[in-house]
Amino acid sequence: MDSDHQEMEEEMMHQLRSKATELLLREEFKESVQIYSKFITHCQEKLSNAQQTSDLQKLNKSLCLAFSNRAEGRFRLKEYAEAIKDCDQALKIDDTHFKSLVCKGKILLNLNKYPMAYDCFKNASTDSQARGFSENLSGYLDLCKKFEIQSTNGVVDVSDWVLSGFKGKVPEFAEYVGPVEIKKSDLGGRGLFSLKNMDMGTIVLVTKAIATERGILPNDEDCNENVQLVMWKNFISKVMESVKRCDHTHHLIRTLSTGEDENGVEVPNISLFRPETEETEVLNEKFDVDKILNILDVNSMVEDSVSSKILGKNSGYYGVGLWVLASFINHSCVPNARRIHIGDHVIIFASRDVKAGEEITFAYFNVLSPLNKRRETLMNWGFSCACKRCKFEDEIWSRQEPGELEVALEKGLLDMGSVAFRLEEGMKKWVVKGREKGYLRSSFWEAFSRAFESEKLTKRWGKRIPAMEVVVDSIVDVVGSDEMVLKVLVEGLKRSGGSSVGRTSEMERVMKLGRGVYGKIVKRQALKALLELGTRDHS
Ligand SMILES: C[S@@+](CC[C@H](N)C(=O)[O-])C[C@H]1O[C@@H](n2cnc3c(N)ncnc32)[C@H](O)[C@@H]1O
């Protein structure tokens, strides 16, 4: 090659490298990655023809840096698998390359590979460049350790964030999969089952969304619908992007139900979802848009009311997302778990004591409502509920009176104390006993709550219907803790004043219920703050 040609080529490589770096700094990652790819191809060609050791060294150095920078660009584009490959290429040239070690650490942290990420940051920290590094390496090392512990014991504590009034960065969590397995469920398709006894508030799993879309909904109903539609479209695009970017995400999403042939579906092994599991390479799974749309239809979740109304968010807030493992949890009108959304994570926890072998379920909607109302709501979900409460109530509703009471409740035909009283009398006649009383009291909770909240109704019906504590305990025993029940209890406690002995036990009941509503994510003081916010917000 003549020297003119060589000079021209060197100039062209110099231009490419400068442009790619400039684009990276300007955070135009897609374009930067494209130009780095061109540069890398040229560099590799030159390398294969290079003879002199000094040329080889110079080219290898440039190539190493280019791989490392392309990895950074791909990392920022969330193309994690490709970004890791680039880091490995750079580290093959120089196994102590500082930038590549840090970048690989950050990618592994995002992929929930905490011990491997720790090793990368540890190796990087021994490099002389570590001292001048703007990002805090020891912070990353601490985070890896913290997440590793969290991913094994499932302990999450957001007390400081709650007590600060939700100021600062929204907490981040490690992925955690508790003692659970996926099995066929009597409710429909597959479900998540507990392998151990868990007490109220115990965290079952913590998992990050594949994608979310959030916004504030306007008050106007028509506008509101349009905004929701746009958000839904954006959400779908985000999911599709994630699927295209990552084969593993695609593979996980494809394990979810499309709503068809629920009984013929495969039961995936829970280890597929554990953060410590090595990802097996899944190649060439067909990208089927219709299938993914069906999956999103069945499995997307709207962020629930407690999280959206209380945890530092505005009213009118609306969030939709896809959390893959949580999507295996079936609905039940006798749920034993609840969810709370913080940032992109969903935390699932027991809302009452759960026995080993029990299916973990949560309520997809408000189950403190009567049978026909629940059925109406379920029409939007496209399935009919096969839970034991629905089966039991189906039989009870075959009599005339429960249906009439439901209409009276809905249309306000009777005063609410009267509805509660008639229900209690009816339960004697229909020989409803034990926990099943809790089913029906849950169905007519609105009548009870309004009777307990009104001085006039309490005066009139107080002696003829069971005490608030009795009703609350029987409801919590079957449907777990619920924020609406909690609110009535807290308000009652505030109203009553009562003797200090009585107050202590009532306070304990409130705190226990609070544990079931918020889970073990906060210590006592922060739980009290949440209880205060919860009652203010729902009033
Ligand atoms: C988010 S998925 C839950 C996991 C699903 N069973 C699976 O196998 O992937 C929701 C679907 O599960 C089924 N399902 C959930 N709860 C149910 C219930 N209580 N009764 C009947 N089917 C239920 C319905 O088909 C529903 O569309």
Side-chain angles (χ1 to χ4, degrees):
M1 195 191 294
D2 62 39
S3 65
D4 276 359
H5 187 213
Q6 201 169 342
E7 247 177 58
M8 265 170 62
E9 201 161 291
E10 266 176 28
E11 178 55 26
M12 184 264 293
M13 299 246 321
H14 173 73
Q15 297 275 349
L16 280 178
R17 191 169 50 192
S18 309
K19 187 75 199 158
T21 314
E22 186 193 323
L23 288 165
L24 190 65
L25 290 172
R26 288 216 312 251
E27 305 201 345
E28 290 175 33
F29 302 116
K30 208 166 156 204
E31 294 75 12
S32 170
V33 164
Q34 275 168 0
I35 302 208
Y36 269 124
S37 299
K38 275 191 194 161
F39 177 82
I40 287 170
T41 310
H42 282 295
C43 223
Q44 283 170 327
E45 261 170 33
K46 282 195 86 172
L47 203 55
S48 62
N49 297 324
Q51 316 250 302
Q52 289 181 17
T53 321
S54 60
D55 285 348
L56 279 170
Q57 276 177 347
K58 209 171 129 197
L59 283 167
N60 265 324
K61 206 171 160 198
S62 298
L63 193 59
C64 176
L65 191 61
F67 274 126
S68 189
N69 285 347
R70 190 171 71 175
E72 182 71 30
R74 286 180 158 164
F75 166 58
R76 304 289 285 270
L77 289 167
K78 296 195 174 133
E79 294 171 359
Y80 298 135
E82 293 304 305
I84 286 264
K85 279 185 200 155
D86 277 349
C87 289
D88 287 341
Q89 291 275 14
L91 292 166
K92 216 159 104 185
I93 300 168
D94 173 2
D95 62 1
T96 61
H97 191 246
F98 179 76
K99 260 181 125 177
S100 306
L101 284 169
V102 174
C103 185
K104 189 171 175 184
K106 288 194 289 188
I107 301 164
L108 290 167
L109 198 56
N110 263 276
L111 293 172
N112 312 310
K113 307 288 174 206
Y114 314 117
M116 282 158 78
Y118 182 88
D119 288 345
C120 288
F121 292 126
K122 189 82 205 156
N123 285 342
S125 67
T126 56
D127 192 281
S128 59
Q129 288 187 52
R131 261 173 274 133
F133 185 51
S134 58
E135 290 176 78
N136 186 352
L137 266 188
S138 64
Y140 277 125
L141 286 166
D142 290 348
L143 198 63
C144 291
K145 275 275 156 236
K146 184 177 131 188
F147 279 4
E148 194 187 341
I149 296 169
Q150 219 179 68
S151 73
T152 36
N153 67 11
V155 174
V156 163
D157 187 355
V158 295
S159 301
D160 290 344
W161 184 57
V162 169
L163 289 169
S164 76
F166 311 103
K167 290 211 181 80
K169 251 178 89 182
V170 176
E172 282 278 333
F173 310 101
E175 293 270 315
Y176 168 72
V177 180
V180 288
E181 62 177 337
I182 303 171
K183 285 201 309 190
K184 284 266 170 172
S185 159
D186 290 340
L187 290 171
R190 302 127 325 156
L192 201 70
F193 290 77
S194 175
L195 290 166
K196 282 193 180 159
N197 293 343
M198 296 186 199
D199 61 348
M200 187 191 269
T202 301
I203 293 174
V204 178
L205 59 94
V206 181
T207 183
K208 196 170 177 172
I210 296 292
T212 54
E213 178 69 12
R214 305 198 176 94
I216 307 286
L217 295 182
N219 285 331
D220 178 288
E221 219 169 272
D222 289 342
C223 268
N224 184 317
E225 237 172 66
N226 285 341
V227 173
Q228 277 193 37
L229 203 65
V230 172
M231 285 174 67
W232 179 247
K233 278 189 187 158
N234 291 344
F235 166 63
I236 291 174
S237 319
K238 284 184 186 173
V239 174
M240 295 295 179
E241 250 176 58
S242 308
V243 166
K244 281 184 196 151
R245 264 194 317 250
C246 176
D247 291 336
H248 186 65
T249 304
H250 188 195
H251 183 58
L252 291 186
I253 289 184
R254 285 173 60 106
T255 62
L256 296 177
S257 167
T258 54
E260 290 155 20
D261 187 23
E262 277 238 300
N263 294 322
V265 283
E266 266 181 48
V267 178
N269 195 309
I270 191 79
S271 64
L272 191 62
F273 303 94
R274 290 196 185 278
E276 68 276 16
T277 306
E278 273 301 305
E279 283 170 23
T280 46
E281 219 165 316
V282 266
L283 294 169
N284 301 326
E285 276 182 314
K286 193 175 154 235
F287 179 72
D288 181 339
V289 176
D290 288 340
K291 182 170 175 165
I292 295 175
L293 287 177
N294 286 343
I295 286 173
L296 291 183
D297 219 19
V298 175
N299 297 281
S300 307
M301 280 199 277
V302 170
E303 294 186 355
D304 77 313
S305 60
V306 169
S307 329
S308 55
K309 285 194 188 142
I310 296 175
L311 296 182
K313 294 167 188 161
N314 296 312
S315 60
Y317 171 93
Y318 178 82
V320 61
L322 180 69
W323 291 265
V324 179
L325 183 54
S327 297
F328 284 94
I329 302 179
N330 281 318
H331 161 84
S332 173
C333 303
V334 197
N336 54 15
R338 290 179 62 88
R339 62 196 162 102
I340 211 154
H341 294 268
I342 299 180
D344 282 348
H345 287 86
V346 67
I347 301 171
I348 311 280
F349 54 89
S351 60
R352 59 188 162 88
D353 295 347
V354 175
K355 291 201 181 72
E358 236 184 277
E359 178 166 0
I360 306 282
T361 54
F362 58 64
Y364 289 5
F365 53 88
N366 174 21
V367 290
L368 293 180
S369 55
L371 183 67
N372 289 327
K373 173 99 181 141
R374 301 202 304 277
R375 283 187 172 153
E376 210 182 291
T377 311
L378 268 170
M379 300 238 273
N380 295 330
W381 292 84
F383 69 92
S384 49
C385 182
C387 80
K388 52 190 176 190
R389 177 172 155 205
C390 283
K391 281 186 188 148
F392 169 78
E393 291 189 346
D394 195 33
E395 253 188 72
I396 290 284
W397 255 253
S398 64
R399 301 159 206 267
Q400 219 177 332
E401 296 108 302
E404 283 173 0
L405 266 187
E406 179 171 351
V407 174
L409 177 80
E410 199 178 322
K411 301 218 156 101
L413 302 179
L414 296 168
D415 83 49
M416 290 298 132
S418 165
V419 173
F421 172 71
R422 285 175 193 223
L423 176 76
E424 291 294 329
E425 289 301 299
M427 287 201 287
K428 287 182 201 153
K429 211 162 67 188
W430 313 323
V431 207
V432 176
K433 291 205 171 116
R435 299 190 83 205
E436 282 155 359
K437 280 191 182 171
Y439 293 170
L440 293 183
R441 284 175 180 155
S442 302
S443 287
F444 288 91
W445 164 249
E446 196 187 334
F448 284 103
S449 66
R450 292 234 232 128
F452 295 141
E453 279 171 334
S454 149
E455 217 174 294
K456 195 171 132 209
L457 290 180
T458 307
K459 230 181 225 165
R460 183 151 175 224
W461 297 101
K463 293 221 163 63
R464 292 195 274 171
I465 60 174
M468 175 160 58
E469 293 72 27
V470 174
V471 174
V472 164
D473 286 352
S474 74
I475 288 180
V476 171
D477 183 42
V478 299
V479 301
S481 308
D482 184 281
E483 75 267 26
M484 288 191 283
V485 177
L486 183 63
K487 186 208 151 207
V488 172
L489 203 61
V490 174
E491 294 298 340
L493 184 68
K494 280 185 191 160
R495 264 197 316 270
S496 75
S499 71
S500 62
V501 178
R503 269 188 76 82
T504 312
S505 69
E506 278 173 40
M507 195 61 205
E508 277 317 307
R509 181 182 273 105
V510 164
M511 291 303 280
K512 190 167 171 225
L513 212 62
R515 241 330 131 234
V517 169
Y518 297 105
K520 292 181 186 172
I521 61 164
V522 282
K523 298 206 180 81
R524 203 176 162 86
Q525 207 50 35
L527 178 58
K528 279 188 176 169
L530 281 176
L531 292 176
E532 190 53 41
L533 281 171
T535 47
R536 235 192 284 150
D537 204 87
H538 291 288
S539 50

